[in-house]
Amino acid sequence: MTRPDTGRVAPERRRSPGAPDPGHVGGGTPADAAPETGTARIAVDLLGGDHAPAVVVDGALRACQADPALQLLLVGPLDAAGEATAALPPADRARVRTLTPGDRPDLARRRGSGARSGPAAPAESWVESGVRAAVLAVAQGQADAIVSAGNTGATVTSAALGLGRWPGVRRPALAAVLPTVAGRLVLLDVGASVDPDEQTLGMHAQLGAAYAASVHGADRPRVGLLTIGTERGKGDRLRRDAPAVLAGLSLPAGARYVGLVEGNDVVHGAGADVVVTDGFTGNILLKGLETAYALAGPPTTASAADDPPPRAAVLLGVAGTVVVCHGAAGPDDLAAGIALAATLHRRAAVAAIAAMIPLSEVTHDK
Amino acid sequence: MTRPDTGRVAPERRRSPGAPDPGHVGGGTPADAAPETGTARIAVDLLGGDHAPAVVVDGALRACQADPALQLLLVGPLDAAGEATAALPPADRARVRTLTPGDRPDLARRRGSGARSGPAAPAESWVESGVRAAVLAVAQGQADAIVSAGNTGATVTSAALGLGRWPGVRRPALAAVLPTVAGRLVLLDVGASVDPDEQTLGMHAQLGAAYAASVHGADRPRVGLLTIGTERGKGDRLRRDAPAVLAGLSLPAGARYVGLVEGNDVVHGAGADVVVTDGFTGNILLKGLETAYALAGPPTTASAADDPPPRAAVLLGVAGTVVVCHGAAGPDDLAAGIALAATLHRRAAVAAIAAMIPLSEVTHDK
């Protein structure tokens, strides 16, 4: 496991005078800052997602056309990658490279052997090897970030093995950003860790607070624990044990644990900037709310001014920039996920977040 | 524990020719049937809820004025109950009775003794004894149903002890009805059982299927298990163990287990009429979605024709009609909860549901 380059710091924020919240990673351009520029090379898993590769190709093209400094490494079968490049204007084609897992002798060997040798084996191997190949491309410096709409567990495992976890992080977290009446909040975990213990929730509180401070520019972010009632002792076993751990943490960026929040608070957003929960509950709440917002509009009155946050989650706790889109993601979701990955890379956000985590307080193993 | 009168059957449905789904328990009048009539005596816990008693009194008055055959037993302090009756037109006052927990010697004795004797003890005892008194009023035949917006755990415990659980039901379920794009669905549990095992989920599947068939008139209701992905093996420990139990059940009313559903399916509602989950996840998803719908409107295109379902949950598995409103419920929510309790009583819904549960298949104790 490699410690990321924590010597890097987040780039200085461009801030309009009086703007209270300069940070914004959204589906488009921050309201008060020019978009970050500089090359961003994003490895995109072409075979990830329910409607792959067509939707992924479509999303990659949209992202490419929206951001002239974006370079794509399309990882997957040659025909799909070729279709993508052919659809681009000739001047843009140089920004798209392709990588088929079969190009890599080590991956080809794994595909050709092993227990899975039935009729379904080749396709399945392709899917699995796609995200592995994308991770390896980042690990070996051929790309700056990974975007996948494929199986979350496979992406998390591949990223943890291929890029390394940060010291002290046994279980990485997937962090999603939801629009709220008050603005937005970071919800984590949304699917990486479905049976966490209270120590894992404590680490995720650190990661979420660092994300809110570093990426959203949140000042002294408030961290809440998601549960079913604010009376003492409500909730399941994990929620009865976790508050003591969370209250005892020294959180980064002046963040503070503000106690218990409920499902309605994730919509209003008035009480917390970061909401910590297990990956099972978080995934179900995220998919429910995102679908409700897609049908009826997001809850925030600020939504007219700001673009809604991308419907994509960031993997925190691994030494690299990894963005996970929903399996059911559409082309715009994929494009937003790719744009998010590019912005995080340009801000060196992952290194900045890693540098904010007080590793000495973490229980490495139980 | 008393077995409810399962010899009673649900009253015959009034059904317009060709109407596919005659059942409707909502905030108002079913689209295709006259409202059930007949006296319904509802015990209302005046001190339950975040804004009690004012909001409860207000809600009770609205319910009373909307339904001439409703009779209320307001349980709580005399001043609040007196305020409620004074606000009614003289002709309606005879329909409202009051009960203060201090009226009952057994409750007064419990309030006056015990470990809680600090300054906060009297108020707390009042709150706890209110729901107990309401339950006793139903158990002793002075009321037909209970409505409380108070602490869910206290209500569930009081109801289970005071009314008895059905044979085979170790853990009652709170069932909520959510609007969906496809119409509506039953979500359970939403807070009664936060650490269930797979046998409890199996019993809740029975209860939910019986509710959907009996109250909504659902034909062969489809029962889904809420999880975070439909690939085999996804989810936490409970969700990996539960499908085998659910698939092996013989569900009532021709209901069938249709497998795994996700958070987005609870919004679309296309795949299931009943969604089973643990009370922790269900409570959080319910509060999130209800809040989103309150801000942006419900998802269903049918909402113009149908009233939205009441924001209240029904306790299934105890021998009586118990409706739980949110602690943050407003007057209209309380009124809708009272109307729901009256409708369930008039349909003898609880007895009908109890009669549909195949107790012989249930594991009584692990």
Side-chain angles (χ1 to χ4, degrees), chain A residues 35-241:
Chain A
E36 283 84 354
T37 52
T39 301
R41 303 168 303 158
I42 312 298
V44 178
D45 171 19
L46 279 185
L47 284 188
D50 301 346
H51 311 293
V55 161
V56 184
V57 166
D58 193 358
L61 291 178
R62 295 184 195 196
C64 208
Q65 286 163 340
D67 181 349
L70 194 68
Q71 294 183 6
L72 294 180
L73 179 63
L74 302 180
V75 182
L78 265 179
D79 51 351
E83 183 191 328
T85 47
L88 282 169
D92 289 332
R93 284 179 199 162
R95 294 196 282 128
V96 178
R97 293 172 299 142
T98 59
L99 171 65
T100 60
D103 290 349
R104 308 187 64 94
D106 52 337
L107 292 166
R109 199 161 48 242
R110 292 179 77 164
R111 272 168 51 218
S113 65
R116 286 175 168 161
S117 53
E124 203 169 351
S125 304
W126 271 84
V127 171
E128 290 173 357
S129 59
V131 72
R132 274 206 309 271
V135 165
L136 280 175
V138 169
Q140 297 174 356
Q142 297 160 33
D144 300 315
I146 300 147
V147 174
S148 176
N151 180 286
T152 301
T155 304
V156 173
T157 303
S158 293
L161 292 175
L163 302 173
R165 290 170 294 179
W166 301 344
V169 176
R170 283 187 302 138
R171 291 173 172 270
L174 270 175
V177 180
L178 276 164
T180 68
V181 176
R184 66 192 153 185
L185 60 71
V186 179
L187 177 68
L188 78 171
D189 174 49
V190 297
S193 177
V194 294
D195 280 315
D197 58 18
E198 60 272 25
Q199 300 296 333
T200 297
L201 291 188
M203 173 51 83
H204 291 182
Q206 308 268 16
L207 296 172
Y211 187 92
S214 173
V215 178
H216 293 168
D219 181 38
R220 301 188 67 227
R222 300 158 300 168
V223 179
L225 175 67
L226 189 61
T227 187
I228 62 172
T230 51
E231 303 94 344
R232 187 181 174 84
K234 283 204 86 166
D236 60 1
R237 280 186 292 264
L238 177 62
R239 262 48 69 148
R240 291 192 294 272
D241 293 339

Side-chain angles (χ1 to χ4, degrees), chain B residues 218-238:
Chain B
D219 180 38
R220 301 187 68 226
R222 300 158 299 168
V223 179
L225 174 67
L226 188 61
T227 188
I228 61 172
T230 51
E231 302 94 343
R232 187 182 175 84
K234 282 203 86 166
D236 60 1
R237 279 185 292 264
L238 177 61

